[in-house]
Amino acid sequence: MRAVPVFLYHSVSEDPPDWIAPYTVSPKTFREQLDRIADAGLTVVPLRRLVATLHGGPALPANAAVLTFDDGFADFYWTVAPILTERGLPATLYVTVGAIHPPGGEPTGSLLPDSRMLNWRQVGTLDAVGVEIGGHSQTHAQLDTVYGQRRTDEIVGSKKRLEDAVGHSVTAFAYPHGYSSPAVRRQVRAAGWTSATAVENKFSSATDDPMRICRLMVRSDTPDSVFDDWTAGRGSRIGPIRESLYTRGWRSYRRFTRFIGAPVGGPPKD
């Protein structure tokens, strides 16, 4: 299997809030990492190209890579999009619907701490210029620890709100915190999402699970040597990856803490 690095970014900023700082890279670092991707001979393709391959469509080009961004920070509009445009690179932006606000208005609410997030006009503009807009739930809840109508709102409701906003179908989903379960993945598929990204910090591949696509999370402290290994297809396993006993145990622990009223929270743990 050929390793496909699907890079996961959150914020690209010089001065992020403390809570997201560990998951933020500076614009300078971001540009340098894009240079490293190009120097390694990788071709950045839209996520939908990988998804089509996973559903039995045309093969990916050799040495393919994918760029994804989670949550919907305002710096994507002001910083990331111009850099991608000048280089002609595609990307997928997964937005937490409840964190997006009308211009001059307030968001409906999410579990993310305060930060500058996109407004709906900016989301529409990004969609119009070719950025793939995907869903990241309503509130950024840990979907494998919520049930019933709450989970339906996070998965189905967020899709409807996003489609109403951009005026067309959206099919790409990302699990908040990277957390899912077999039941969550079945509900995501049944809602009409045709792909969903996890994290795993593994490479994707042409045989990956389209409802649990592996990604590599780029952090503020990701060493250049590690990033170079990723661009060379080294340093991690290749998906698909079966759920480990650790993953199942960690899910049980998070469900228990939620049951007793002390859910595991904090910044994205994708």
Side-chain angles (χ1 to χ4, degrees), residues 42 81 88 96 144:
L42 296 179
T96 303
D144 57 346

Side-chain angles (χ1 to χ4, degrees), residues 102-117:
E106 296 295 325
T108 54
S110 77
L111 299 175
L112 296 173
D114 287 343
S115 188
R116 288 189 63 202
M117 308 301 286

Side-chain angles (χ1 to χ4, degrees), residues 184-223:
V184 169
R185 295 192 286 275
R186 286 193 297 270
Q187 189 168 1
V188 168
R189 184 185 296 108
W193 303 99
T194 60
S195 72
T197 49
V199 181
E200 302 295 341
N201 277 316
K202 306 289 189 296
F203 292 105
S204 186
S205 73
T207 59
D208 205 355
D209 181 350
M211 303 311 295
R212 195 175 173 221
I213 296 171
C214 297
R215 294 190 288 175
L216 301 162
M217 181 161 52
V218 183
R219 297 171 49 108
S220 62
D221 59 356
T222 299

Side-chain angles (χ1 to χ4, degrees), residues 1-232:
M1 290 184 291
R2 183 182 294 276
V4 179
V6 179
F7 296 102
L8 161 58
Y9 289 90
H10 287 88
S11 177
V12 178
S13 173
E14 294 283 7
D15 187 29
D18 289 345
W19 72 272
I20 198 62
Y23 308 90
T24 300
V25 299
S26 70
K28 179 177 181 292
T29 297
F30 182 58
R31 288 180 181 273
E32 291 173 348
Q33 289 173 342
L34 294 181
D35 289 340
R36 292 175 182 275
I37 290 171
D39 291 344
L42 296 179
T43 300
V44 178
V45 301
L47 175 74
R48 61 176 63 91
R49 289 283 303 276
L50 171 60
V51 174
T53 298
L54 299 182
H55 284 287
L60 287 170
N63 300 318
V66 177
L67 298 174
T68 66
F69 298 79
D70 279 12
D71 296 333
F73 294 97
D75 57 61
F76 188 93
Y77 185 86
W78 297 109
T79 302
V80 176
I83 294 173
L84 296 177
T85 298
E86 71 184 25
R87 295 171 182 244
L89 298 178
T92 296
L93 170 65
Y94 296 106
V95 299
T96 303
V97 170
I100 309 303
H101 57 90
E106 296 295 325
T108 54
S110 77
L111 299 175
L112 296 173
D114 287 343
S115 188
R116 288 189 63 202
M117 308 301 286
L118 293 164
N119 65 48
W120 283 114
R121 182 182 298 157
Q122 292 168 332
V123 171
T125 299
L126 292 168
D127 176 73
V129 300
V131 175
E132 180 180 20
I133 304 298
H136 200 35
S137 81
Q138 290 271 21
T139 69
H140 208 274
Q142 300 176 29
L143 297 180
D144 57 346
T145 68
V146 297
Y147 304 93
Q149 188 59 46
R150 169 69 188 279
R151 193 157 77 191
T152 297
D153 289 342
E154 297 284 354
I155 295 171
V156 181
S158 65
K159 190 174 193 293
K160 184 180 187 306
R161 286 192 63 199
L162 197 51
E163 290 177 339
D164 287 346
V166 299
H168 60 78
S169 174
V170 293
T171 59
F173 189 79
Y175 302 112
H177 303 277
Y179 297 146
S180 69
S181 68
V184 169
R185 295 192 286 275
R186 286 193 297 270
Q187 189 168 1
V188 168
R189 184 185 296 108
W193 303 99
T194 60
S195 72
T197 49
V199 181
E200 302 295 341
N201 277 316
K202 306 289 189 296
F203 292 105
S204 186
S205 73
T207 59
D208 205 355
D209 181 350
M211 303 311 295
R212 195 175 173 221
I213 296 171
C214 297
R215 294 190 288 175
L216 301 162
M217 181 161 52
V218 183
R219 297 171 49 108
S220 62
D221 59 356
T222 299
D224 290 345
S225 59
V226 169
F227 197 90
D228 286 342
D229 280 344
W230 289 346
T231 64

